[in-house]
Amino acid sequence: MKKSVLAMAIAATSVAFVGAAQAEVKVGFIGGFTGPIESLTPPIYDGARLAVQQINEQGGILGGQTLVMPSADTTCSDASAASNAADRMVNTENVTAIVGALCTGATVAAANSAAIPGGVVMVSPASTAPAVTELDDNDLVFRTVPSDSYQGEILAKLMLDKGFDEVAVTYVNNDYGRGLADAFTEAFEAGGGLVAENVAHEDGRADYRSELGSLSASGAETLVVLAYADGSGQTILRQAYEGGMFTQYAGADGMVGSSLVEAVGADVLEGMIATRPGSPELPGTEIFAEAAEAAGFDPTAVFAAQAYDAAFLLALAIEQNGSAEREGLSQALRSVSSAPGEVILPGEWEKAVELIAAGEEINYEGASGSHEFDENGDVPGVVVEMVVEDGAFVGKGLVDL
């Protein structure tokens, strides 16, 4: 009798554990929590977690299961760390999908080493380099941010429109830096400008005076730095100022962070020009901004809105797919993000679930705009002009070609 009772208790406990395991759906997050973008990563992660929070508050996913988001550090710059982070998500956490990575090199490494072999969809909110477009990914790698082939053109146009006709360029020697520098240089020179010197540099070094010497010797008074706010970009700007080189600085999304201004000095960087992917003025943008402020983070932080959209889109795709299985998720992702269909705005999870259950088509219009993925998983997106004023990067509006 005692053995029978014990056996029943064990069986009941086992069923409870199985039920608990089945009550969770996992979407992983991998990003540069340490390394050259460590100050940019927290609000990006917060954006993704806000989507998860809203979904769980509105009844959860797949009939009331809890959506959870395990995370792992890619360091941004270490391909091995990125591969290990993705491997943990795919093969240990057994996630259905991944938000991330952030830096392009990390996304490429994570995709090739684990996500693509494991059939796991990745949606990056921050990997902007053209290299992502070129991945042989079996339709598994997407992004909610425009390619640098577009941002580079926008930065070039912005500077030409402001009267800058000669610049020196230095870029971090990875997929992000090279892709952005190539796009900028081609567009700047096509528009009549002169790139007097174009020098690659390695991230993580303590001294860039040799590269700065070559850049300064070109005679250009404006230095364009295409690197990271917490990495080489910060050191280069500080040493350029200490050496009395250049009168104007410019950069792109990887440089837009309060840590850069604090480290180099507000007076030094006053008037610095930059670009970053942004959000159009649509209903979803305002809804997200209010929710982010209530959650305690800055809705205008670089890539925060794109991360929210990546997480919300993946959850919608899982709901559309009808299970936490990986197979079929990329097709579902394309379905929920594209017209035709009833528009779903940020936070409208319950509405989306009801429509999906009724067999209706939906079209998510997100915090950072619409996401009509092309055949490569890319989106057009928009780019915002940023300027350092009174010790902070300030948005000046959208820039079009």
Side-chain angles (χ1 to χ4, degrees):
M1 180 68 176
K2 287 182 179 179
K3 288 183 178 179
S4 296
V5 171
L6 179 60
M8 290 172 65
I10 292 172
T13 302
S14 298
V15 170
F17 277 129
V18 170
Q22 290 176 340
E24 289 185 347
V25 176
K26 292 183 178 181
V27 172
F29 181 99
I30 57 174
F33 291 98
T34 62
I37 64 163
E38 63 182 50
S39 70
L40 304 183
T41 297
I44 301 174
Y45 185 40
D46 287 341
R49 290 197 299 172
L50 174 60
V52 173
Q53 176 189 328
Q54 291 178 336
I55 288 162
N56 289 329
E57 288 175 347
Q58 295 179 43
I61 193 169
L62 295 177
Q65 296 185 58
T66 300
L67 183 63
V68 296
M69 181 170 279
S71 63
D73 184 18
T74 66
T75 77
C76 176
S77 57
D78 185 341
S80 295
S83 296
N84 291 338
D87 179 71
R88 191 187 119 202
M89 291 296 117
V90 172
N91 299 310
T92 302
E93 295 286 353
N94 292 312
V95 300
T96 301
I98 293 173
V99 174
L102 306 184
C103 295
T104 297
T107 293
V108 172
N112 286 331
S113 65
I116 296 171
V120 174
V121 171
M122 295 175 62
V123 180
S124 172
S127 293
T128 54
V132 175
T133 303
E134 298 160 6
L135 278 171
D136 184 9
D137 63 1
N138 296 325
D139 201 36
L140 292 170
V141 182
F142 298 77
R143 51 183 166 184
T144 52
V145 66
S147 168
D148 281 333
S149 59
Y150 181 64
Q151 186 183 183
E153 288 184 75
I154 290 290
L155 178 59
K157 177 183 183 298
L158 178 65
M159 298 198 68
L160 289 167
D161 288 349
K162 289 180 175 294
F164 296 96
D165 55 10
E166 182 178 3
V167 300
V169 175
T170 185
Y171 61 91
V172 61
N173 191 21
N174 60 20
D175 288 329
Y176 167 72
R178 287 191 298 272
L180 188 50
D182 288 347
F184 171 82
T185 299
E186 181 178 350
F188 192 76
E189 293 185 334
L194 171 65
V195 176
E197 189 65 70
N198 195 348
V199 176
H201 67 263
E202 302 302 322
D203 196 31
R205 288 172 39 202
D207 191 343
Y208 295 98
R209 291 179 179 85
S210 174
E211 289 89 345
L212 283 167
S214 297
L215 292 161
S216 180
S218 71
E221 295 186 356
T222 299
L223 178 63
V224 179
V225 183
L226 304 175
Y228 303 121
D230 297 314
S232 59
Q234 182 181 122
T235 306
I236 286 170
L237 288 179
R238 186 172 61 250
Q239 292 179 350
Y241 171 70
E242 291 169 353
M245 306 171 188
F246 306 104
T247 60
Q248 176 70 41
Y249 303 113
D253 50 352
M255 299 289 283
V256 180
S258 58
S259 64
L260 181 74
V261 182
E262 292 166 3
V264 180
D267 292 343
V268 176
L269 297 186
E270 184 73 14
M272 178 179 174
I273 301 165
T275 53
R276 50 158 281 191
S279 304
E281 294 182 4
L282 296 171
T285 309
E286 185 176 344
I287 292 169
F288 168 73
E290 292 176 359
E293 288 170 358
F297 68 93
D298 180 7
T300 67
V302 180
F303 304 127
Q306 286 81 3
Y308 175 92
D309 286 344
F312 207 89
L313 276 166
L314 283 171
L316 289 172
I318 292 169
E319 190 74 26
Q320 174 75 30
N321 207 31
S323 77
E325 298 298 318
R326 296 167 178 175
E327 186 175 354
L329 191 61
S330 63
Q331 295 95 320
L333 178 62
R334 290 185 177 278
S335 173
V336 299
S337 62
S338 305
E342 183 155 350
V343 171
I344 298 296
L345 297 174
E348 292 187 336
W349 178 254
E350 287 179 300
K351 175 183 175 181
V353 169
E354 290 174 2
L355 289 168
I356 290 171
E360 301 289 335
E361 292 186 320
I362 63 171
N363 176 21
Y364 179 67
E365 298 285 344
S368 59
S370 62
H371 298 291
E372 299 280 343
F373 295 111
D374 67 13
E375 62 182 4
N376 298 309
D378 287 346
V379 293
V382 296
V383 175
V384 176
E385 175 188 357
M386 306 294 292
V387 178
V388 175
E389 292 182 352
D390 299 324
F393 276 102
V394 178
K396 293 295 184 179
L398 304 182
V399 186
D400 295 318
L401 287 176

